Amino acid sequence: MANAERAGWSIGRRSLLTGTAAGVAVTAAATSWATSALGASGAGQPPAPQPAAGRRFEGKVALVTGATSGIGRAAAVAFAREGARVGFCGRREELGRQVERDIRAAGGEATYVKADVRVPAEVEAFVAAVVATYGALHVALNNAGIQVVKPLHEMTVEEWDDTAHTNTRGVFLAIKHEVPPMRAAGGGVIVVTGSANEFASRPGLGAYAASKGGVTGLVRTAALDYGADNIRVVALSPGTTDTPMLDSRRPANITDDQWAAGKAQYGADNVDALRRMARPEEMAAAALALASPDMTFLTGTSVVVDGGMLAGL
């Protein structure tokens, strides 16, 4: 039995198996365990990933969807740090403006455009705005996504449609409008944030797993459609990553230390190789690697970056 179960968490070993978000419930019995676990887990954490040396995207224009927080935000920052001019979108305008200010304060170039990937006209306008602002498009990271955790019989049609429209149709819309300016630029790279849920799932993630499976099909087909145009298309498939999407499922009755300890313990119990969750910056680094000139023959596939979680199934 996992330590979390013994301590009173109402989760099992694989209940947060994959993806960037999950539902967690904590009972009062977890309190004493969580406080002690925090001290034990903190000492073993590796240092934060360091920025890559060099500026692989100097002179390039990069576009990122869903970049107001989490993996998307980390990727927008990383692309700008490596020389790209970055156009990014998200629904939360205050957060988007803050990310824009942060990038510019660090010496990078970025423009935030408020856009919702569920709305076709907004996706088209967003891509057009990036191209109009910076003159071209070379790299895209289609990252926007949501997750609803419910058994299928409890999920509403609206929740199913919202997941599909955000995670799958939003990717289709982005690719549809990204391809023409990439063709005009002589080629480019489209990276899509998939999920380890493309390959394994868990209870309550029917809509999410289906949407990410759809992303797999889009990536493979787009790679075939546009390879002759020198456009690569690849999916980055993260395992569990410690993002605000995960934090949105934090129970209201626990402290910051208890929540941090619970997440650390979950990573130790469920990510069998590296024994921790990923950081958003690690997924951003993977996205940049996939989009970089170092990967010129990689297309039409999903690259799992999960700390060895699926290897332990």
Side-chain angles (χ1 to χ4, degrees):
M1 182 179 292
N3 292 340
E5 291 172 317
R6 288 196 296 267
W9 285 62
S10 58
I11 60 173
R13 172 170 155 74
R14 292 290 177 184
S15 64
L16 296 180
L17 176 61
T18 50
T20 58
V24 179
V26 181
T27 68
T31 302
S32 61
W33 163 79
T35 302
S36 61
L38 180 63
S41 63
Q45 285 292 308
Q50 297 300 307
R55 290 169 68 85
R56 293 172 290 179
F57 298 94
E58 192 77 57
K60 301 297 184 181
V61 177
L63 173 158
V64 185
T65 70
T68 55
S69 66
I71 293 171
R73 181 193 186 283
V77 170
F79 274 121
R81 186 172 54 230
E82 292 208 28
R85 292 167 289 169
V86 181
F88 67 97
C89 76
R91 290 182 284 177
R92 296 170 293 181
E93 186 168 9
E94 183 176 345
L95 289 177
R97 296 298 178 198
Q98 184 60 57
V99 175
E100 181 184 83
R101 287 192 294 270
D102 290 345
I103 290 173
R104 291 180 175 179
E109 174 56 37
T111 298
Y112 166 71
V113 177
K114 184 178 181 180
D116 185 339
V117 298
R118 299 172 299 181
V119 181
E122 293 188 15
V123 177
E124 182 177 11
F126 164 57
V127 177
V130 173
V131 175
T133 300
Y134 295 124
L137 180 62
H138 305 101
V139 178
L141 172 59
N142 298 322
N143 169 75
I146 64 170
Q147 186 182 83
V148 178
V149 182
K150 282 187 177 180
L152 288 171
H153 74 284
E154 295 180 2
M155 183 167 293
T156 67
V157 172
E158 291 76 18
E159 288 169 333
W160 176 277
D161 286 348
D162 195 28
T163 303
H165 285 180
T166 304
N167 296 359
T168 311
R169 195 181 74 161
V171 170
F172 152 68
L173 291 171
I175 292 173
K176 174 180 174 65
H177 296 295
E178 290 158 359
V179 165
M182 284 189 178
R183 278 176 162 168
V189 184
I190 298 172
V191 181
V192 178
T193 302
S195 171
N197 277 99
E198 296 169 56
F199 310 100
S201 194
R202 65 181 187 273
L205 286 186
Y208 185 75
S211 71
K212 292 301 185 178
V215 164
T216 303
L218 282 171
V219 165
R220 291 174 180 173
T221 305
L224 298 174
D225 284 346
Y226 305 117
D229 297 306
N230 195 32
I231 296 173
R232 296 193 295 110
V233 187
V234 63
L236 164 65
S237 300
T240 304
T241 305
D242 190 0
T243 67
M245 188 184 292
L246 178 65
D247 289 333
S248 70
R249 302 191 183 281
R250 168 182 166 171
N253 61 338
I254 65 170
T255 67
D256 291 347
D257 284 354
Q258 290 166 356
W259 181 239
K263 290 190 292 185
Q265 189 64 50
Y266 170 79
D269 286 343
N270 290 280
V271 183
D272 295 300
L274 297 186
R275 302 186 64 77
R276 63 177 177 85
M277 296 183 189
R279 299 182 179 89
E281 292 77 14
E282 290 174 303
M283 292 304 157
L288 266 66
L290 296 178
S292 78
D294 299 330
M295 294 290 184
T296 54
F297 207 62
L298 180 70
T299 194
T301 191
S302 299
V303 177
V304 178
V305 183
D306 70 345
M309 186 158 49
L310 293 182
L313 292 178

